[in-house]
Amino acid sequence: MFRTLRKTVALIAGCAMLLGTAAGCSAPGDSSQAVVKSVSDIERGSSHDPSIVEANGKYYIFGSHRAWLKSDDLVNWEPFTNNLSTQFKDILGDFWEEWPKQPANSDLTGNMWAPDVIYNKAMKKWCMYMSVNGINYKSAIVLLTADDIEGDWTLVGPVVYSGFRNDTVSKTDVPQVLDSNEVPTRYLSPGDTEINAIDPCVKYDDNGDLWMTFGSWFGGLWMLKLDASNGLRDYSTTYETVKDQTDQYYGIKIAGGHGNSGEGSYIMKQGDYWYLFVSYAALQQTGGYQIREFRSKDITGPYVDEDGNTAISTTTIGSNWLGKTGIRLMASVEWSGNDNTNIEVAQGHNSAFVDEDGTAYVVYHTRFSNRGEEHEVRVRELLTTSDGWLTATPYEYVGAKADAKGYEESKLTGEYELVEHDPTTFFQGLQDATKKDSTDYKGVNTPATIKLEQGGTVSGDKTGTWQVKEGTNQVEITLDGVTYEGDFALLPRDNDLKSVMTFSAIGANECIWGSQK
């Protein structure tokens, strides 16, 4: 039951634990310790389209263009290499020549995209699913395996193809699946079922079956069952072709389509739900890139947002990334007192995982307001609201986690900066492009001010009520008639690592963040 803050929230005693390592004793309810003394001490990593996996007591990120990172603490990252780093032409060259290579796209070097890595329990191998990309959607997702997560990697073979035509389809497994060498017209139209076979995500379901999501823009995002014994396509599972639902070759449609934006699908199980993250818009600094969230009780869907909107597009929607389908996980924020020359923009193509202690995280790449197309990896904790949605913390993870048992009332009341992640806005650069040192940006969220009063009322730029769930950090806050469910977290701020109380909540299909002044 929720109750007002006239009553005292349970105190938390003891020492904060950071990723299983003692962070040092702190005051009751204070789990805000950082693993670095200043932001400048963080060893940053750059990996586009980062996919994260745990192994050997470490965290590994695999990204596009063979950008590999590893970390002991999810904060500091170092690059590493394997045989794919330098010998990729020996490993993938024959397949590149056979399928994706074309005169206008003849170099394999920049065409290894968005791998996802999982340990296959039956094979006792690490399995890397990587898209080998060609122009005109002529791509394929291939499987590579290794005995150790750091390599070496060996090519097993292709899993799924795209961009096939009547004169090339014989080089694929499409005739085996369709029982025909004639390519149906639906695979020839990006407004129908012509996809780009990129951006794989592979997960076991609750029954131990293996599934892969994939696809990008155009014909939508899809899901295939894999054969867990060999990591390749499960040819014994067949699919009917039903428009905007299933396809004989690509399997089950889970999102997007009809030429609308949507890529980098990633699914994760937490509690009772499977969560689907999809990146909308274009990845460039001013392209509007952003993460949208959906969920389903079943791994195969249907995936819907808080308002019940399906993730699947059934019509062409111009600039669907400015629409309100899907919960936008985060936007660009101009917190007061921050270094607002370096605001996160175009955050997207995420992965997500649940750590051994049950803490969930989202891992993504971001560009910045003053650094052009330069990008870095960021990590945020994902908090579960009382109604089962995942919401990202207002500040990046630097070792401090939310205390699920709650905080003292004195830590919760006071003035907060409030940010609404409006899905219809996006970073568009400087208001005046001639003023290079300016921080007057278009499409950056500027906070309002509210005050959480003792007794459960809210005053300030928005008014309403608030209450917490006894013995937890979960909050219900009503602002101007809209009710949001969320969580409190005492976290270090991004700019100076000063610990402040924050909250992150979802309501009316929109996410809000609060940061105590």
Side-chain angles (χ1 to χ4, degrees):
M1 291 290 293
F2 280 96
R3 61 174 183 162
T4 67
L5 288 175
R6 293 189 180 94
K7 300 180 181 178
T8 304
V9 180
L11 296 178
I12 311 302
C15 296
M17 299 296 289
L18 300 181
L19 298 173
T21 303
C25 291
S26 55
D30 182 2
S31 58
S32 59
Q33 300 287 324
V35 300
V36 290
K37 292 182 179 179
S38 71
V39 175
S40 61
D41 291 336
I42 298 176
E43 296 177 11
R44 299 294 189 185
S46 179
S47 182
H48 214 262
D49 314 325
S51 177
I52 192 164
V53 63
E54 290 182 80
N56 307 330
K58 297 180 182 292
Y59 304 92
Y60 290 87
I61 281 176
F62 295 87
S64 290
H65 315 306
R66 309 176 314 284
W68 327 128
L69 301 172
K70 61 182 176 180
S71 173
D72 294 321
D73 56 17
L74 280 177
V75 179
N76 299 288
W77 298 94
E78 62 174 318
F80 70 98
T81 59
N82 54 40
N83 63 327
L84 274 172
S85 303
T86 56
Q87 300 169 40
F88 59 89
K89 290 186 178 179
D90 294 331
I91 299 167
L92 294 167
D94 288 346
F95 181 75
W96 172 252
E97 294 286 337
E98 178 185 349
W99 183 250
K101 182 180 177 180
Q102 298 162 77
N105 186 42
S106 60
D107 188 358
L108 173 61
T109 304
N111 287 292
M112 288 158 283
W113 291 4
D116 192 41
V117 174
I118 187 172
Y119 185 74
N120 187 301
K121 294 171 283 190
M123 298 170 67
K124 297 182 180 179
K125 296 276 189 181
W126 288 99
C127 290
M128 177 186 291
Y129 295 84
M130 175 187 285
S131 47
V132 184
N133 181 67
I135 60 173
N136 300 319
Y137 323 123
K138 196 180 180 190
S139 307
I141 293 171
V142 300
L143 168 64
L144 304 103
T145 61
D147 293 320
D148 185 87
I149 195 166
E150 294 196 28
D152 283 345
W153 294 92
T154 300
L155 178 64
V156 176
V159 182
V160 67
Y161 290 86
S162 64
F164 39 82
R165 300 291 186 267
N166 284 333
D167 60 342
T168 60
V169 72
S170 62
K171 296 181 179 181
T172 75
D173 66 343
V174 175
Q176 177 183 348
V177 176
L178 301 188
D179 196 27
S180 171
N181 284 310
E182 187 76 21
V183 176
T185 57
R186 65 180 181 274
Y187 299 125
L188 308 180
S189 168
D192 196 333
T193 317
E194 185 173 34
I195 72 165
N196 206 6
I198 62 174
D199 298 353
C201 170
V202 178
K203 287 287 184 289
Y204 283 100
D205 67 14
D206 296 334
N207 299 319
D209 294 325
L210 202 58
W211 296 86
M212 181 178 75
T213 70
F214 61 98
S216 175
W217 285 61
F218 323 120
L221 305 176
W222 296 79
M223 176 180 284
L224 279 175
K225 188 177 180 183
L226 303 181
D227 183 339
S229 70
N230 60 26
L232 298 171
R233 182 188 182 115
D234 178 10
Y235 289 100
S236 68
T237 298
T238 59
Y239 311 90
E240 296 182 19
T241 297
V242 180
K243 188 173 179 61
D244 290 325
Q245 296 182 39
T246 52
D247 180 78
Q248 190 175 355
Y249 183 67
Y250 288 130
I252 301 166
K253 191 174 186 180
I254 59 170
H258 292 269
N260 297 300
S261 77
E263 63 182 23
S265 60
Y266 200 89
I267 57 173
M268 181 185 77
K269 180 70 180 296
Q270 173 76 316
D272 295 331
Y273 291 97
W274 284 93
Y275 295 88
L276 168 66
F277 303 95
V278 180
S279 291
Y280 280 10
L283 58 82
Q284 290 80 9
Q285 182 197 41
T286 57
Y289 216 41
Q290 58 190 264
I291 302 166
R292 301 283 179 121
E293 176 187 4
F294 305 84
R295 74 182 184 188
S296 173
K297 286 290 184 72
D298 299 311
I299 191 171
T300 56
Y303 287 91
V304 298
D305 62 18
E306 190 187 32
D307 280 351
N309 300 312
T310 176
I312 295 173
S313 299
T314 55
T315 60
T316 300
I317 306 166
S319 301
N320 71 310
W321 44 280
L322 294 177
K324 296 186 176 181
T325 295
I327 299 169
R328 184 174 181 173
L329 207 61
M330 64 188 79
S332 301
V333 181
E334 191 171 5
W335 298 114
S336 66
N338 262 20
D339 174 13
N340 286 319
T341 63
N342 200 32
I343 297 169
E344 285 189 17
V345 302
Q347 306 109 310
H349 203 126
N350 70 290
S351 56
F353 79 109
V354 180
D355 210 345
E356 292 178 353
D357 65 357
T359 306
Y361 299 92
V362 60
V363 182
Y364 59 98
H365 72 248
T366 182
R367 287 171 169 77
F368 303 91
S369 56
N370 66 339
R371 292 159 64 179
E373 300 307 319
E374 181 183 345
H375 55 83
E376 291 177 345
V377 168
R378 290 292 185 271
V379 179
R380 294 178 190 259
E381 185 180 353
L382 287 171
L383 306 175
T384 305
T385 69
S386 63
D387 54 354
W389 287 100
L390 297 179
T391 182
T393 53
Y395 295 117
E396 71 166 308
Y397 177 76
V398 291
K401 294 183 285 189
D403 194 330
K405 294 182 180 179
Y407 302 91
E408 301 174 54
E409 178 181 356
S410 61
K411 291 184 180 293
L412 302 179
T413 56
E415 284 195 338
Y416 286 76
E417 291 187 291
L418 175 72
V419 171
E420 299 176 71
H421 294 291
D422 184 350
T424 67
T425 65
F426 67 103
F427 177 77
Q428 301 172 65
L430 292 169
Q431 294 282 358
D432 185 344
T434 65
K435 297 180 178 179
K436 300 300 182 183
D437 296 328
S438 173
T439 59
D440 186 14
Y441 297 113
K442 293 182 285 186
V444 172
N445 292 276
T446 302
T449 298
I450 62 170
K451 186 176 183 180
L452 302 188
E453 307 274 6
Q454 289 186 343
T457 61
V458 181
S459 60
D461 293 333
K462 289 182 177 290
T463 60
T465 60
W466 68 289
Q467 51 187 347
V468 293
K469 187 176 182 180
E470 184 174 359
T472 75
N473 64 330
Q474 293 182 331
V475 61
E476 179 185 279
I477 182 168
T478 300
L479 301 173
D480 292 353
V482 177
T483 298
Y484 301 85
E485 306 288 346
D487 302 83
F488 283 110
L490 185 63
L491 301 174
R493 298 192 304 194
D494 286 346
N495 63 322
D496 57 9
L497 300 184
K498 176 185 176 182
S499 292
V500 296
M501 188 59 65
T502 70
F503 65 80
S504 183
I506 292 172
N509 222 38
E510 188 171 298
C511 178
I512 60 172
W513 283 350
S515 176
Q516 202 170 55
K517 286 189 170 184

